[in-house]
Amino acid sequence: MFISKTIKWVTIASLLFCYGIEFSQLYQAPWINNIRHTVIGGLVLGEGFLWGDMLCYTVGVAIGIFVTILLNKYWDSRRGIS
């Protein structure tokens, strides 16, 4: 989606989005809990806040950055760009 953005921008945006969803799980109003109890709501909003999820998001984004950098270096070397 953000192919023209820098890796730094995509990293920050990804982490802010993931962390935002996770921290939103601390808000437990009845109306949002009703949404969370649906299949789609549960998948998108989650059920409860977990610090382990924050770690998983961070590791996942770091792996994505690492793979992107490796692929960029690979394709640049194939095209003769140093």
Side-chain angles (χ1 to χ4, degrees), residues 27-48:
Y27 181 66
Q28 294 293 320
W31 69 271
I32 200 162
N33 285 338
N34 289 337
I35 295 172
R36 285 186 179 117
H37 293 307
T38 66
V39 174
I40 298 291
L43 290 172
V44 173
L45 298 175
E47 294 291 328

Side-chain angles (χ1 to χ4, degrees), residues 7 10-12 15 58 60-71:
I7 292 175
V10 173
T11 301
I12 292 169
L15 289 174
T58 305
V61 170
I63 290 170
I65 294 165
F66 181 70
V67 168
T68 300
I69 290 170
L70 286 178
L71 288 174

